[in-house]
Amino acid sequence: MKKVIFIPAFHSLKDPILDGLLLVYLKAMAEPFIEFHLTTLEQDKFQLTGDEFIQEKIMLEKYNIHWKPIKYRSGGMFILFKKLWNYLLTLLYAIKINRQNRLTLVLGFTSLSGAMAYLTSLIVRKPLAIYCFEPHSLYMLDFKVWNRKSLNFIILNWFEKKQVQHATSIVVPNQFGEKLVRDWGRKGEIFKVPVSVNESGFKFDPSRRNYLRDNMKVSSRFVFLYLGKFSGIYYSVGEIAIFYKSILNLMPNAFFHVISPNDGEQIESAFLKAGLDKSDFHISGVVGLSEISGFISAADIGVLAVPPLPSQVYRTPIKTANYLLCGLPYVTNRGVADDDIVAEQYKIGVVIKDLTLESAESCVAQIENLMKEPIDELRDKCRKVAVDLRGLKNTTKVLNQIILSS
C-alpha cells in the first residue's frame, strides 16, 4: 500500500539541519511505495540559483521527494501576520496533496517544524509523527533569550506540549527527553534515538590529517578542534578563549583550531585578548560538508561548547557523532545530552563541569589519561561507538517502522 508523507519544514532546504540530516534520512528510506512531500521556508541566505534549483528538484524526485519551496517572510512590521502567511501557504499545499493523493502521515522534524505539523495534522485529519523532539522553548528560556511571559515562549511551549500529547509517534534523543514528554502528558509510545549521521560520510582520513597539520604547522602539537557557532545556545567566544588560555598554561603544546560561521576577526580578537598568541590558534570559516572529515581528522580532540544549563540534557549535539565517526574523542560538559555518560562509559571522551581553571586542570589530566591508550585503538573505538549509537540505521529503522505502521 502506498504511503504518502507530508513534511512541513521550518527551515530552508540547504540549512544544515535539513540538508545534512532530514534529507539524508529520507534518501536512505527511498522506496517506490513511499512518497514524501516536503515544504520548506526558504531564507535569502540559502537561496539557490535557477540552475541549482532545477538540479535540486530533479535529484530529489529520484528519491520520491517532492519539494515545494515557500519564501520565508519574517522580521520588520507585521511579523505575526508574516508567520501566519508562511504557515497558510504550507497548509494550502498540504490540503492540495491530501486531496490528490490521500495523505498517510504528517511528519514534523524538530519541535519548530512540529508545531506546523501538529496544526496540519488536525486540519487534514491525519496521524502525526514527531522526529527529534527537543524542547526549544526551554532552551530559549534557560539562555535568557525569552522569559516565561514573552509571547514567543508561551506560543512555542504550548505547541510543544500539544504535539507531544497528540502525536501518534514521537522520537526523543535520550532518556531525559522521554521523562520530559511523559511529564508533559505523553501517553503513547516513545522512541529513543539520538540524531543520527550517515557514517559513510565521516571517517578518519590520514592523508588529509598530515596535509592539514603540515599546512597549519602543528605537526607536533596537540590540536583541540571547535566546530560550530558561538553564543546563543552555546558559550561565547570570549568564554572559550579564556578557557583555552587556561588549557595552554597547563599544556604548552596545545593548539586550538576553530571552524565557525561566526566572524573570524572577532574570534581572533577574543583569543588575543585572552592572552593567546597567533601561533597558538588557527581560524577557518565555513567548511564544506565534503571537507569536514579531513579537518576533524587533523585534530586530536574535539570540543563541545554547550553550557550545562538544566534544559541541555534534552539536546543531541550532532558534532559529537561527527567527531567520533572520524575517530576523535571529545570534551563535553556534564549534563549536556547523555554525551557525558557515553564518554565515561566507553572511555572516549573528557567530561568537565564548566569552564573554570579547576575544570581546565581536570580536562588536561583526563586527556593525559585518555591518550595512554594506543591511538589507533582509541580511534577505532570512537568510530565503533558512533556507528552503534549514532549510525544512520538507527534513524531509518525507527522512521520506517513509524511510516509502515501508519
Side-chain angles (χ1 to χ4, degrees):
M1 181 178 176
K2 189 176 183 180
K3 302 291 184 179
V4 184
I5 317 301
F6 180 69
I7 309 171
F10 188 80
H11 303 84
S12 303
L13 188 77
K14 287 301 176 180
D15 187 314
I17 200 168
L18 289 193
D19 195 30
L21 295 175
L22 179 61
L23 287 181
V24 173
Y25 305 157
L26 300 186
K27 291 174 186 176
M29 293 190 297
E31 294 285 355
F33 62 89
I34 300 178
E35 185 175 293
F36 297 107
H37 291 269
L38 171 69
T39 63
T40 60
L41 299 181
E42 293 298 314
Q43 299 182 49
D44 290 342
K45 65 180 179 179
F46 294 113
Q47 187 174 1
L48 299 172
T49 66
D51 288 342
E52 289 172 338
F53 176 82
I54 293 170
Q55 291 171 7
E56 199 69 39
K57 289 272 285 186
I58 293 172
M59 184 275 294
L60 291 173
E61 292 286 342
K62 293 179 181 178
Y63 295 94
N64 245 356
I65 303 170
H66 307 286
W67 173 42
K68 173 69 173 178
I70 296 170
K71 182 175 174 57
Y72 180 72
R73 297 167 176 84
S74 184
M77 297 178 63
F78 310 114
I79 185 170
L80 182 58
F81 174 78
K82 291 176 181 178
K83 288 185 178 294
L84 288 172
W85 183 251
N86 286 337
Y87 174 66
L88 179 61
L89 294 177
T90 300
L91 175 62
L92 289 175
Y93 184 70
I95 292 172
K96 175 184 176 182
I97 297 303
N98 190 42
R99 285 176 176 170
Q100 292 175 344
N101 300 290
R102 301 296 297 174
L103 288 175
T104 306
L105 179 72
V106 180
L107 174 64
F109 183 70
T110 75
S111 70
L112 292 172
S113 298
M116 301 167 67
Y118 164 69
L119 279 179
T120 304
S121 76
L122 290 179
I123 294 169
V124 300
R125 297 183 180 182
K126 296 298 177 182
L128 170 69
I130 304 294
Y131 187 87
C132 190
F133 178 83
E134 297 181 29
H136 190 77
S137 64
L138 298 187
Y139 297 170
M140 302 298 274
L141 194 66
D142 265 358
F143 283 91
K144 296 182 170 52
V145 178
W146 298 342
N147 61 59
R148 289 192 176 274
K149 293 183 179 180
S150 66
L151 188 60
N152 284 332
F153 172 79
I154 292 170
I155 291 173
L156 182 57
N157 188 251
W158 184 86
F159 270 114
E160 287 175 340
K161 290 179 179 178
K162 286 298 181 182
Q163 60 189 271
V164 159
Q165 296 161 6
H166 177 72
T168 305
S169 303
I170 190 164
V171 184
V172 297
N174 54 40
Q175 67 271 28
F176 305 109
E178 180 181 24
K179 182 180 185 306
L180 176 71
V181 299
R182 289 292 186 204
D183 291 344
W184 279 2
R186 174 72 184 170
K187 302 297 182 184
E189 187 174 19
I190 301 171
F191 297 93
K192 288 185 292 184
V193 183
V195 167
S196 304
V197 177
N198 187 350
E199 55 266 35
S200 65
F202 294 89
K203 57 184 65 176
F204 178 68
D205 187 336
S207 63
R208 289 297 291 171
R209 174 181 171 86
N210 293 334
Y211 172 80
L212 291 168
R213 289 176 71 92
D214 287 344
N215 199 43
M216 290 189 290
K217 297 179 174 57
V218 295
S219 299
S220 61
R221 300 186 70 169
F222 189 90
V223 179
F224 289 73
L225 172 65
Y226 179 77
L227 179 62
K229 298 178 182 178
F230 294 100
S231 300
I233 54 176
Y234 303 93
Y235 279 118
S236 71
V237 64
E239 291 172 307
I240 291 294
I242 292 170
F243 182 68
Y244 276 177
K245 176 58 176 172
S246 298
I247 293 286
L248 186 64
N249 290 341
L250 299 162
M251 192 176 182
N253 71 326
F255 183 88
F256 309 101
H257 185 197
V258 174
I259 301 175
S260 176
N262 290 75
D263 184 85
E265 290 184 1
Q266 292 181 3
I267 297 172
E268 179 176 325
S269 176
F271 276 35
L272 294 174
K273 184 178 179 180
L276 292 160
D277 188 81
K278 282 190 176 183
S279 63
D280 295 322
F281 63 87
H282 181 82
I283 299 165
S284 302
V286 176
V287 171
L289 193 61
S290 62
E291 299 179 77
I292 288 293
S293 287
F295 281 97
I296 295 176
S297 300
D300 297 295
I301 198 161
V303 178
L304 302 170
V306 180
L309 297 170
S311 64
Q312 299 309 288
V313 295
Y314 308 122
R315 289 185 74 161
T316 176
I318 302 166
K319 286 191 285 289
T320 313
N322 295 340
Y323 289 153
L324 290 175
L325 285 170
C326 294
L328 197 68
Y330 60 92
V331 178
T332 184
N333 279 340
R334 188 171 299 284
V336 176
D338 57 1
D339 286 350
D340 54 340
I341 298 171
V342 171
E344 292 179 334
Q345 180 179 345
Y346 295 98
K347 295 181 173 54
I348 53 172
V350 169
V351 180
I352 58 177
K353 181 181 178 182
D354 47 35
L355 299 187
T356 60
L357 175 59
E358 181 181 1
S359 289
E361 292 171 344
S362 173
C363 181
V364 170
Q366 290 181 67
I367 287 173
E368 290 174 350
N369 188 56
L370 191 67
M371 294 301 158
K372 290 177 181 177
E373 183 172 357
I375 190 61
D376 289 342
E377 293 180 16
L378 179 58
R379 286 188 184 128
D380 289 344
K381 183 167 62 173
C382 287
R383 181 170 176 83
K384 182 180 186 307
V385 171
V387 170
D388 290 345
L389 300 183
R390 307 288 294 270
L392 185 59
K393 68 180 185 302
N394 295 299
T395 288
T396 55
K397 178 182 177 181
V398 167
L399 283 178
N400 271 313
Q401 182 178 339
I402 290 170
I403 290 171
L404 294 177
S405 64
S406 61

